[in-house]
Amino acid sequence: MIEIRDVRAGYGSINILWDVSLSVPKGKLTTIIGPNGAGKTTLLRTIMGIVPASAGTITLDGQALAGTPTWDMPGLGMVMIPEGRMIFKDMTVEENLMLGAFPRSKRAEAKTRLEHAYAMFPRLRERRKQAAGTLSGGEAQMVAMARGLMSDPRVLIIDEPSLGLAPVIVNELFQTLARLKDEGRTIILVEQSTHRAVGVADQVYLMQTGRVVLDMPASEVDMERLHDLYFAH
Ligand code: ATP
């Protein structure tokens, strides 16, 4: 469904991604793991059109994405939940969620989406009138995920959702990811928590210094070998 072929991208004159290729099948969870600075976030930003690719192609259901502005991606069914959550602290939980309803929904549809988001994250319903800046880290991550769901995306691109969260909250988060996959959504997940990411994934890509160095079904991953590769330079 998403095909990334020989993509190069970077910042200014510095190239970060070197001929990166990935196939992300529909309805599956693909995880991209790798050490700090490997280029995982850069790859996600390139898929979303935030960072332009200087070479290679990215297609969504066969349609080339080059030149598509980032703000058109939700309209194509693709949403990114960025690292650091990027929620609006002075707005309430519900106001933050309603921002995610752009651009697809009419009012009635937004209401349905909101109900779905609250069903997925019941704690957010309880706190819907609360300023988002007063939430715990785990709740703030729920807001970021729920806001991403408000446009009912087919593809969710999620960057480091577990960052800074307590283990028990991380467990909840991964249960939610599994449920989102069960709903038939296609997920690209970047995670530092390698064990958990491999546990929920269908396909695993390991990146190092801007290159894909391993690509295999999660069921075939040997964690010990992965660990060795992870730290090899
Ligand atoms: P982490 O796990 O630490 O988030 P990552 O694999 O996601 O790492 P990136 O954030 O993609 O890695 O960073 C890859 C490289 O690109 C790093 O060397 C980083 O310093 C550099 N980089 C990231 N953002 C920018 C930017 N806006 N301008 C210049 N260089 C950048």
Side-chain angles (χ1 to χ4, degrees):
M1 159 184 237
I2 300 175
E3 283 291 331
I4 300 163
R5 282 286 151 261
D6 302 322
V7 160
R8 288 191 180 199
Y11 304 95
S13 59
I14 304 164
N15 197 64
I16 302 290
L17 303 180
W18 297 94
D19 306 320
V20 169
S21 296
L22 254 93
S23 293
V24 178
K26 193 175 176 166
K28 303 283 184 201
L29 195 154
T30 300
T31 191
I32 305 166
I33 58 174
N36 291 330
K40 305 178 301 290
T41 298
T42 302
L43 175 59
L44 301 188
R45 289 191 189 137
T46 307
I47 298 170
M48 290 301 289
I50 301 165
V51 172
S54 57
T57 55
I58 303 175
T59 58
L60 172 62
D61 292 335
Q63 184 188 342
L65 291 180
T68 307
T70 304
W71 54 87
D72 282 348
M73 295 298 180
L76 297 176
M78 193 153 75
V79 156
M80 180 162 166
I81 299 166
E83 185 185 335
R85 293 140 203 171
M86 310 255 181
I87 60 175
F88 294 92
K89 294 187 164 60
D90 294 335
M91 294 168 74
T92 66
V93 165
E94 191 151 302
E95 285 165 348
N96 268 281
L97 297 192
M98 290 308 286
L99 285 177
F102 179 85
R104 265 230 211 146
S105 39
K106 302 154 201 84
R107 264 196 114 77
E109 201 178 323
K111 204 91 197 112
T112 313
R113 302 312 322 159
L114 196 60
E115 279 309 310
H116 176 267
Y118 285 147
M120 186 71 80
F121 302 100
R123 211 167 325 158
L124 296 186
R125 189 197 297 277
E126 293 164 22
R127 297 177 184 275
R128 65 184 186 280
K129 300 273 184 261
Q130 189 171 325
T134 62
L135 297 173
S136 71
E139 290 162 353
Q141 184 61 40
M142 288 179 202
V143 170
M145 305 248 314
R147 182 180 55 191
L149 289 174
M150 286 295 289
S151 63
D152 194 18
R154 290 177 294 144
V155 182
L156 275 167
I157 296 180
I158 312 175
D159 196 4
E160 307 264 14
S162 75
L163 209 67
L165 302 183
V168 57
I169 307 291
V170 176
N171 288 344
E172 258 180 53
L173 178 79
F174 273 84
Q175 282 167 14
T176 306
L177 290 175
R179 279 166 65 199
L180 290 171
K181 191 174 82 166
D182 289 345
E183 288 183 348
R185 298 184 208 270
T186 304
I187 301 173
I188 303 178
L189 172 70
V190 163
E191 245 306 317
Q192 288 288 340
S193 177
T194 310
H195 265 91
R196 284 192 164 103
V198 172
V200 77
D202 296 293
Q203 193 73 17
V204 178
Y205 284 83
L206 174 63
M207 281 185 75
Q208 249 162 12
T209 55
R211 292 175 173 84
V212 170
V213 295
L214 182 86
D215 155 22
M216 59 163 58
S219 57
E220 291 173 19
V221 167
D222 171 348
M223 285 311 292
E224 213 162 295
R225 184 164 166 259
L226 188 68
H227 187 268
D228 292 345
L229 272 172
Y230 196 101
F231 292 106
H233 284 284

